[in-house]
Amino acid sequence: MNIPHFLAASPLQDVIFGASLYFPPIFKAFALGFVLWLLIHHALREKIYAGDIWHPLLMDLALFVIMVSVSQWFLVKW
């Protein structure tokens, strides 16, 4: 019996599907949010550490939470 090529399961397809299925979506949001946070943090570093707005640690944490939220929204909509 011949099995069509697109129905034949290969180990690589199983690994790719399994990774996308079992990989926690919140970790994807944290990873993307961290990359976005690095870009924003680098651009605003002088203003953050000047202390004019907030305490620098609170500002970093707030920016990280915002970037994780934006990345979660982006992953849901995409």
Side-chain angles (χ1 to χ4, degrees):
M1 183 166 125
N2 290 338
I3 298 174
H5 178 61
F6 62 89
L7 291 177
S10 71
L12 184 59
Q13 286 176 341
D14 291 341
V15 168
I16 291 172
F17 179 71
S20 66
L21 183 64
Y22 297 119
F23 201 62
I26 194 68
F27 183 74
K28 292 178 186 176
F30 271 97
L32 182 60
F34 181 69
V35 171
L36 293 174
W37 175 79
L38 283 175
L39 295 172
I40 296 295
H41 176 80
H42 183 68
L44 299 176
R45 186 178 357 195
E46 290 82 22
K47 282 198 171 275
I48 290 173
Y49 291 126
D52 294 338
I53 303 170
W54 251 2
H55 189 276
L57 187 61
L58 291 175
M59 188 69 173
D60 276 340
L61 184 61
L63 281 175
F64 181 71
V65 169
I66 291 169
M67 291 300 108
V68 169
S69 300
V70 166
S71 65
Q72 181 69 32
W73 178 83
F74 183 70
L75 289 172
V76 167
K77 293 296 179 184
W78 185 30

